[in-house]
């Protein structure tokens, strides 16, 4: 496309500065601006240039990790604004997945506009839900949304809205509920009946409701359509889609009656606005084109909204001005959101037929051996048994960039071997190896005359943990480092061992090096404070409620304050559990520990005034310093709102509103998020999901076991009376089959098999994302021994490695370290 671009430029400037033809020439400022556009374009890679060369219509851009999607999109946005004279009345709309990504792309577009000597207007960057809400709020009469009278909610499985719709459905559908209660077989024993009731009401049906409502609503399906779909599914006895449709109906009715809205409702409200011809024309006239980032995470409803906005008002049959940029191989949200890479893959295939597909396959992020490892893993998975019906990955290979690439230090030299594959004895040995490798990396890049503080007393002091008594590290010489984990509990374990190696008999010591350990999951745990406090207060207010008792026990268990077990067994009879009589069965030691803790909380409820309860619960939950500060802030907020009436019911009402509205927790400064997580001289512990979009010089990926990646869908023991599947995953698979027009809909076994495939495919894509975060060193390990559950990391047993690890060692034998 280079020649075409240059010839267009030459034609547009042919008459400039010719004597006698000044009036037909362009203004010199315009000439300079066009020259600046050419300069920007020449600084880009081929795939990025395809975006810059776009002149209208649809364009799919499939980009590999590290290809520079945001850089290309920012340049294309700025040049489109310059060439088309865009302003605040006719804008380019850029849509991305998260607030942090939106802040990042906005800053890059502004930087490019400054290079073109243009004002900072002509574009708007939104998250999808932010864009939808703007449209809905501009037309409240059409959207039906009025935030002044509505409360935004994000229903979880334990949310009272979901629980209420479950109870309403049970009351109106006794026959279907009885079928679920009886399961595959039932002898009528009363204790078992009560246990199954508890599991159905507090776990199975809430999870079904949460999963299906989000899946169906985001796909534009209404409850009635699920009920119709049930007739197309092979008879499963339980009529799962009919149950799901009934729960969905109750949920929607509750939303309307209580003036609640959820995030999916924002999209639907915006589409209601755009259904009106006059309103649609108003919105479309303000939009020149839509550029969508992270398109692999889009849902059908979101795509519909963006396509409408990208269409011409006066030419409804013309092609949309719509650039969609993404990487289907980095689709890692489809097992817990309605996103599915199939939609972006279809868009890419359609554009390819029309020669409107651009592939950004050159990536300068990683050293060659890391690129080779990621490509090999992708090819191996696509050739495995898992891909017999559908490939988990799009066939797309990462290529290194040419030697004259504009990116500084593109495809950097490897650190050590570049790829290091370890097989530690156990998870403690893994942390020791990571600690030792981090120390080697730090020492490798320090000046030769640098000396550490040798004051052992200072090293053992509390202040040493912040590096205040250690020599200050020269950060410009250090590398950025991160440990990527599959779940937050693994990160919590790693941080604890790294900070207390002697406690576990390990020899390394990071403290004297002044390296900060940033556990990103710790920040996430702080956001749970209001919800945890509310749950325990609900139990203290109504201790004989099975739901409240079980929810409180779950929190205490997650905080490792009581033994973990199946709480349904005694949550069905709270009084007998809390106050057993002399004729009741003797309680086991784990059950007694649970009872003592609960009774201690109830005793405090009787002895303390209400305004002190929150602080007491924070201490009882053994919150860390940041969590205690969060709890204090919550207590202060509640005290202000309950002044003059601090009864328990009033306090519960206030905290319920705080939790539901999501207005309590402060929002991180989005434009600082990358800097905070990728600082030099810092070891960041972060989940693989949160690592997407970031990169580090050195990446450690421990605990690669088969039970985790790819793992299997789990059926909890307490739910097995229904069969070896979960209602929620079967329903999800059947809904997706319908959306993909795969009829007849899969039966129970087929749907469960399809759900298992989706999970495993996504886990491998998640590992691919994790591997491609590394620039110069990728360190991976599969321990011989690991825990069955990370709730009890000390209970070790033999573990099979993730299937990728042995094949990587075979392919890269010189990188395997035994």
């Amino acid at each position: 496309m280079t020649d075409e671009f240059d010839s267009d430029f030459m034609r547009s400037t042919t008459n400039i500065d010719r004597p006698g033809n000044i009036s037909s020439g362009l203004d010199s400022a315009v000439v300079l601006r066009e020259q600046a556009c050419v300069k920007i374009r020449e600084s880009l890679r081929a795939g990025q240039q395809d975006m810059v060369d776009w002149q209208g219509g649809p364009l799919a851009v499939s980009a590999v990790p590290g290809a520079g999607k945001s850089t290309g999109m920012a340049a294309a946005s700025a040049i489109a604004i310059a060439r088309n004279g865009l302003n605040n009345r006719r804008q380019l709309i850029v849509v991305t997945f998260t607030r942090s990504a939106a802040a990042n792309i906005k800053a890059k577009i502004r930087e490019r506009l400054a290079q073109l000597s243009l004002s900072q207007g002509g574009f708007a960057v939104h998250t999808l839900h932010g864009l939808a809400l703007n449209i809905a709020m501009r037309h409240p009469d059409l959207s039906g949304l009025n935030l002044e009278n509505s409360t935004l909610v994000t229903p979880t499985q334990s949310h009272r809205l979901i629980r209420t719709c479950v109870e309403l459905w049970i009351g109106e559908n006794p026959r279907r509920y009885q079928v679920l209660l009886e399961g595959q077989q039932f002898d009528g024993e009363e204790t078992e009946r009560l246990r199954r009731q508890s599991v159905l009401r507090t776990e199975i049906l809430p999870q079904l409701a949460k999963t299906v409502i989000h899946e169906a609503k985001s796909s534009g399906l209404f409850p009635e359509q699920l009920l119709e779909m049930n007739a197309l599914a092979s008879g499963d006895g339980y009529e799962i889609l009919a149950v799901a449709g009934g729960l969905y109906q109750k949920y929607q009715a509750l939303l309307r009656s209580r003036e609640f809205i959820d995030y999916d409702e924002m999209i639907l409200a915006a589409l209601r606005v755009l259904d009106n011809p006059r309103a649609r024309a108003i919105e479309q006239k303000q939009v020149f084109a839509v550029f969508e980032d992270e398109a692999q995470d889009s849902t059908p409803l979101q795509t519909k909204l963006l396509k409408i906005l990208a269409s011409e008002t006066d030419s409804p049959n013309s092609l949309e001005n719509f650039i969609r940029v993404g990487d289907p191989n980095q689709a890692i949200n489809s097992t817990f959101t309605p996103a599915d890479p199939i939609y972006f893959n279809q868009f890419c295939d359609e554009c390819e037929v029309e020669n409107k597909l651009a592939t950004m396959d050159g990536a300068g992020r990683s050293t060659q051996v890391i690129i080779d490892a990621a490509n090999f893993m992708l090819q191996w998975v696509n050739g495995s048994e898992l891909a017999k019906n559908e490939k988990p990955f799009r066939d797309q290979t990462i290529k290194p960039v040419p030697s004259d690439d504009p990116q500084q230090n593109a495809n950097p030299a490897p650190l050590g071997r570049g790829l290091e594959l370890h097989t530690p004895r156990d998870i403690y040995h893994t942390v020791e190896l990571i600690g030792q490798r981090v120390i080697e990396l730090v020492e490798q890049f320090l000046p030769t005359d640098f000396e550490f503080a040798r004051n052992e007393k200072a090293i053992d002091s509390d202040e040493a943990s912040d590096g205040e008594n250690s020599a200050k590290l020269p950060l410009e010489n250090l590398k950025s480092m991160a440990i990527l984990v599959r779940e937050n509990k693994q990160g919590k374990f790693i941080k604890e061992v790294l900070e207390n190696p002697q406690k576990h008999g390990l020899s390394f010591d990071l403290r004297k090096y002044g390296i900060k350990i940033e556990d990103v999951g710790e920040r996430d745990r702080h956001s749970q404070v209001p919800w945890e406090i509310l749950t325990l207060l609900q139990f203290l207010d109504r201790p004989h409620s099975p739901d409240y008792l079980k929810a409180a026990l779950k929190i205490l268990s997650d905080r490792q304050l009581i033994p973990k077990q199946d709480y349904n067994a005694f949550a069905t009879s709270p009084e007998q559990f809390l106050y057993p009589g002399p004729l009741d069965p003797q309680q086991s030691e784990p059950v007694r520990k649970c009872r003592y803790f609960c009774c201690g909380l109830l005793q405090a409820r009787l002895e303390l005034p209400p305004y002190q309860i929150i602080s007491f619960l924070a201490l009882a939950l053994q919150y860390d310093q940041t969590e205690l500060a969060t709890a204090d802030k919550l207590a202060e907020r509640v005290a202000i709102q309950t002044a003059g009436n601090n009864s328990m019911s009033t306090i519960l009402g206030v905290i319920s509103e705080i939790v539901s509205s999501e207005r309590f927790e402060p929002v991180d400064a989005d434009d600082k998020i990358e800097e905070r997580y990728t600082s030099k001289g810092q070891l960041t512990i972060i989940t693989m999901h949160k690592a997407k979009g970031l990169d580090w010089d050195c990446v450690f990926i421990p605990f690669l076991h088969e039970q985790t990646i790819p793992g299997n869908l789990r059926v909890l023991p307490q739910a097995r009376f229904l069969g070896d599947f979960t209602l929620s995953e079967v329903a999800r698979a059947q809904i997706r089959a319908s959306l993909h027009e795969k009829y007849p809909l899969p039966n129970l076994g087929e749907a469960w098999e399809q759900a298992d495939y989706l999970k495993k495919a996504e886990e491998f894509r998640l590992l691919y994302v994790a591997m491609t975060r590394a620039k110069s060193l990728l360190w991976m390990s599969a321990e011989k021994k690991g825990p069955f559950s990370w709730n009890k990391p000390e209970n070790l047993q033999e573990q099979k490695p993730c299937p990728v690890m042995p094949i990587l060692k075979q392919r890269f034998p010189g990188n395997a370290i035994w």
Side-chain angles (χ1 to χ4, degrees), residues 42 236 322 449 613 752:
E42 289 174 347
D236 58 34
F322 195 15
D449 59 346
I613 290 290
W752 183 245

Side-chain angles (χ1 to χ4, degrees), residues 52 57 86 109 137 181 335 382 424 434 507 520 530 552 584 713:
V52 169
L86 302 185
I109 294 174
M137 296 308 295
L181 194 64
T335 55
N382 269 359
I434 290 175
S507 58
V520 177
D584 290 324
L713 285 176

Side-chain angles (χ1 to χ4, degrees), residues 82-294:
R83 287 189 165 161
N84 296 281
L86 302 185
N87 52 56
N88 290 336
R89 294 185 301 279
R90 182 138 172 95
Q91 294 183 318
L92 174 69
I93 302 298
V94 180
V95 180
T96 191
F97 196 62
T98 63
R99 287 194 299 261
S100 57
N104 181 44
I105 191 70
K106 185 184 294 183
K108 288 187 175 183
I109 294 174
R110 285 175 173 168
E111 183 181 331
R112 291 298 192 183
L113 289 174
Q115 290 178 317
L116 297 174
S117 301
L118 287 172
S119 65
Q120 301 291 299
F123 76 102
V125 181
H126 299 279
T127 62
L128 199 285
H129 291 104
L131 173 64
L133 187 59
N134 282 344
I135 296 171
M137 296 308 295
R138 285 197 290 268
H139 309 270
D141 53 327
L142 297 173
S143 68
L145 285 194
N146 185 346
L147 282 187
E148 291 182 3
N149 300 322
S150 301
T151 301
L152 176 64
V153 294
T154 306
T156 61
Q157 180 179 338
S158 59
H159 197 284
R160 66 183 187 280
L161 196 64
I162 294 291
R163 293 293 183 88
T164 303
C165 83
V166 166
E167 294 301 326
L168 290 172
W169 180 86
I170 289 173
E172 294 182 12
N173 295 271
R175 184 188 64 81
R176 282 201 172 108
Y177 179 63
Q178 185 63 29
V179 171
L180 293 172
L181 194 64
E182 292 178 359
Q184 292 188 322
Q185 60 180 12
F186 182 50
D187 59 9
E189 201 272 324
E190 181 64 9
T191 302
E192 175 61 13
R193 184 179 68 83
L194 291 173
R195 189 193 71 82
R196 291 187 182 188
Q197 281 185 340
S198 174
V199 175
L200 281 169
R201 291 172 54 248
T202 63
E203 296 180 27
I204 295 172
L205 291 176
Q207 183 59 47
L208 175 64
K210 173 181 173 290
T211 299
V212 167
I213 290 166
H214 194 24
E215 189 80 31
K217 208 170 181 181
S218 294
S219 304
L221 296 176
F222 296 102
E224 296 73 25
Q225 291 170 283
L226 289 189
L227 296 174
E228 293 170 5
M229 222 183 279
N230 183 66
L232 301 175
S234 302
D236 58 34
Y238 299 133
E239 297 183 292
I240 296 173
L241 289 178
V243 175
L247 292 168
Y248 186 6
Q249 281 180 326
K250 295 301 176 192
Y251 174 83
Q252 288 297 97
L254 286 171
L255 278 187
R256 289 190 295 269
S257 66
R258 300 185 182 186
E259 295 187 313
F260 287 168
I261 58 171
D262 57 24
Y263 283 98
D264 294 323
E265 196 65 34
M266 293 180 186
I267 310 292
L268 292 168
L271 287 170
R272 287 195 292 270
V273 170
L274 298 176
D275 281 341
N276 181 280
R278 183 172 175 275
R280 183 169 63 249
I282 291 172
E283 295 296 328
Q284 288 175 334
K285 283 179 180 177
Q286 298 176 46
V287 178
F288 167 73
V290 175
F291 288 6
E292 181 189 13
D293 192 16
E294 304 292 357

Side-chain angles (χ1 to χ4, degrees), residues 416-533:
R417 306 184 195 187
L419 173 68
E420 297 180 3
L421 307 170
H422 292 259
T423 310
R425 295 186 303 274
D426 56 36
I427 57 175
Y428 294 94
H429 186 206
T430 293
V431 180
E432 182 173 35
L433 292 175
I434 290 175
Q436 291 171 346
R437 192 69 175 99
V438 167
I439 291 172
E440 289 173 7
L441 290 166
V442 169
E443 292 182 336
Q444 181 179 350
F445 292 96
L446 289 177
T448 54
D449 59 346
F450 186 85
E451 290 189 10
F452 291 103
R454 298 298 177 184
N455 187 336
E456 298 297 331
K457 200 168 184 181
I459 289 174
D460 290 335
S461 68
D462 292 336
E463 290 83 359
S465 62
D466 295 325
E468 294 178 8
N469 287 306
S470 302
K472 294 295 183 182
L473 295 175
L475 298 183
E476 67 275 5
N477 294 323
L478 297 182
K479 300 295 181 181
S480 57
M481 301 173 288
I483 303 173
L484 274 50
V485 293
R486 181 60 186 84
E487 57 179 292
N488 279 324
K489 290 175 183 176
Q490 294 174 337
K492 185 178 180 181
F493 167 80
I494 290 173
K495 185 179 182 186
E496 195 276 328
V497 177
L498 285 175
E499 291 183 338
N500 304 281
Q502 289 77 22
K503 174 182 172 183
H504 301 281
L506 306 180
S507 58
F508 69 93
D509 191 348
L510 295 181
R511 290 174 297 175
K512 73 172 183 177
Y513 292 86
I515 297 171
K516 178 184 176 184
I517 300 174
E518 172 75 9
D519 181 8
V520 177
E522 201 166 54
R523 293 177 179 270
D524 297 337
R525 291 191 287 274
H526 300 156
S527 67
Q528 296 298 308
V529 168
W531 173 74
E532 289 180 343
I533 295 293

